[in-house]
Amino acid sequence: MKYFWLGSLLSLLVSACSAPPVKQASSPVTIRWSRDPGTLDPLALSNPSALDAANLLHVALLSIDYQANAYAPALAQALPQIRSLGDSLTALDYELRSAASWDDGQPVLATDVDFTLKLLNCPGLPNEANRAQYGFIQEVRLDPANPRRFTLICRGRGEDITIASGDFPVLPESVLDPAHTLRYLSLAKLQAWPATQAPAPAVAALVQRYQQANLAREPSHLPGCGPYRLAAWETNHQLRFQRKTKWWADKLRPAPQVLQARPQELVFTVLPDDAAAALALRRHEVDVYPQVPARIFQQLQASTKAQAEFAFYSQPSYDILTAGFNTRRPALRDKRTRQALSYLFDPAGLSAATQLGQGRRTVGLLPPGSPFYNDSLPLPTLAPDRAVALLRQAGWQRRADGHWWQPGATSPLALNVRYRTEEATFATTALQFQTAAARVGIAVTLLPAESSALTNLLQTGDFDVYIRLIKGSPFSFNFATFLHSSTIGSGNITGFSTPLTDRLLLAIPTEGDARRKRLLLRRLQAVLRDEMPLLPLFYLPTRLVVNRRLQHVIPSGLKPGYALTALSWPAAANSN
Amino acid sequence: MPPRLFLLRTRPAARLALGWLLLLVIVGALAPWLPLPYAPTTPDLLQVAASPATSSGHYLGTDSLGRDVLAGLVAGARRLVLLTLPAVALAILLGTLAGAAAGFWGNRRLRLPLAAIGWALAATWWGLRLPGVAFLCGLLGISAALTLLTWRAARHPTGHRRYTCALPLDGMVLGIITLLGSVPRLILLVALAAGPPLATPQLLALLALLAWPEAARLVRGQMHWVRAQPFMEAAQASGLPLSRIWWRHALPHACRPLLAFGPLSLAGLVGLESALAFLGIGQGPDVVSWGSQLASVRHDTTAWWVAVFPGLALFLTLLALQKLAKLASSAVHK
């Protein structure tokens, strides 16, 4: 037995002292994910990991060029030609790349785009968020003279709709609808299909085929025209993507930045715990560590060894730490109660504690540097006195036991807070809120949950207050996916909606006039601040640590924080 | 001088151990009234992961969430007093009663009226709301008939053993002990505690449920030895009822090894509770214990004070309990 322990100790020492493995050009690039994607169903991508994976399997008309920090044509030959149709419609003329093809060699055609848009609006499929996001596309007009040309007729104007019109993965019609049954139904008809009415036979059959394909776990049943295929998926452990040996974009000269796919293999290791991820990075089991917490980033930067082995990048991101209130709960229906609770968060202190002061405080869902930012609103602050005053205004009475009661209520004001476990920023925020609430007589129970369980709990409305990140974007201001009444139960977790906010949410993405758009966005920020369904605390910086030997690292403030497919190991001749 | 006190006087390590445990109990009991500058769960946002040398007001520093380490240590001591100690007491009580009963009555000595079994079955059936009203009615009828027969038989001088059956108490207790012992304790605890955070009484009951078999096994073994002693035969010959012999004469002798076993059991549960807290299972994030403090060092591995102070408290407590067990064992065998 003692030899066994001695042997184990020696092997540990040897492994600890051994040099990092030498990576060849064909070696896989290993990336840390904080969570499992859960589903790879292209219509129901529920978290950033799933979005990253979908971008490897499928290609959209337009993609983000992380180097230029702008949208660039991907499946489309060029950015769309924009034409105005009357006062309120815009026509976007697209042409697909002639080289674009599916894995079986068949070309990607306009009919595939038409089919995808219909799928995104098909009743009976899990596409509520997509309906809200792409509902402004009213019609797809195919060019009879060129099967790769088509025109999207969109409601509204402006750059937002141009970008949003091409930001969905194009799916093959031949796999899901080989008989082309959906071609006989117009997009507008599908969009307007009443929820109470049974779907058309063609739609029902398609929905059945879609569900039988089990795309959530078997993305190979719907092969996309992306550069990678899923080779292995061990749930909550690892996903392995292999580069297709023949990918249509390899023929393009010069290769567009958005269509570069250098790594032969991408391995995503699911490590929910940040300390474990940092250890894996130090042990060279992970080559790319995005979204690094402030303290771990600081520690790594302070280490001479880590400085020699890793490259560090930090820049502002569009991720907002938010607290949301379940407006369906009777205690939280009154906006004054929600306003009162918002005064129990300390954004300045939390930014200092969790982001080393690098978080950017904000009044709303837009970054402070944006021209649409409503700078007339005050920044949210910790103000327990104001919270107490607002609670009184909302009809709450403080009894001798120190708790707050509504007249006739059977229980006092008590809240539960849900957030993702294994994340110090969320835990600190929750503890700070709990402490501040306890001081004014509100009992708060903390209920952290694992990420996939948390998503389910929030979508089913099993919470009073949540703390989570909201992913923003500098390109478009489509907040309908998580604030519009049509997405209650899916993206709209707070359950909040008013006719005014619904109107604003639909008008903003389609507004072409910058001045009017600014007014609409400022109004939306003011309304949300007043109604307080959610409280944006601050924007987080994004921090990225990568193996220093990796080439073509393009950091970005946009998710996932770097250009994933641009990464590569140096050629063998240069490696040491 | 009594031998136990003599041992205490002659062994300074034992005195230190007892002193440390006493300090823990006092601190744990008085925790809400101690003049600590910070509450254990209140984050100090301006001093996150601050070392004892640089932080102001935090004598042992703060963890990665800004919580005071000293306040956390005190909360850990309170958890020891409110959770682990009662759990051990409950486990020993349960284990002693079960083990002593199994060892004393064995599989044949305790006889129950058949009617009582019928009534118990019927009550269980009704309590679990199982289907089959006819079956329940039949069971009640049979139980009533058996009760009547038992009552009539009891009037006869030789009929008191009729309509009774032997309860295999020893087999039942051993079966449960084997069942609980077939899965490692930590794994069983993790499986049972997984899910929403448990309230302190629930966790206490769970710890007691997992800890009682050891006490039961020990007492059962000792009871077998006690049963063979001459004074037991004398007690039976004198005509004392079995229940009185068990309670007044057998049980006190069978419990003697528990003096040494108690501290060891406590040490085991302290370790188990800390492991559970370290894994973050079964308790909310706003419950601070030594285990959860140790776990928080993962967020900032340079904050050595977050690991050292709770680790030291845990180590000293386990060491002190080992010492106490050794002392008690010496006293028992003196």
Side-chain angles (χ1 to χ4, degrees), chain A residues 21-73:
Chain A
V22 176
K23 305 276 187 174
Q24 307 296 322
S26 58
S27 297
V29 176
T30 310
I31 297 152
R32 182 259 179 157
W33 264 350
S34 62
R35 61 166 85 173
D36 190 87
T39 170
L40 290 181
D41 183 337
L43 298 184
L45 304 169
S46 57
N47 61 48
S49 305
L51 281 168
D52 287 355
N55 287 334
L56 300 174
L57 302 171
H58 306 283
V59 183
L61 295 171
L62 308 174
S63 287
I64 297 171
D65 180 340
Y66 290 96
Q67 207 148 31
N69 210 28
Y71 267 84

Side-chain angles (χ1 to χ4, degrees), chain A residues 273 275 295-296 299 346 349-350 352-353 419 424 427-428 431-432 434-435 439 444 446-448, chain B residues 41-46 48-49 64-67 197 284-286 297-303:
Chain A
D273 187 83
R295 288 193 184 278
I296 290 178
Q299 286 163 24
D346 182 4
L350 288 168
Y419 56 94
T428 309
L431 279 172
Q432 183 274 315
Q434 186 188 44
T435 306
R439 284 184 182 143
V444 171
L446 305 186
L447 299 174
Chain B
T41 55
T42 302
D44 184 348
L45 299 180
L46 298 176
V48 172
S64 57
L65 302 181
R67 296 176 300 186
D286 45 354
V297 80
R298 290 176 307 158
H299 297 304
D300 191 341
T301 45
T302 58

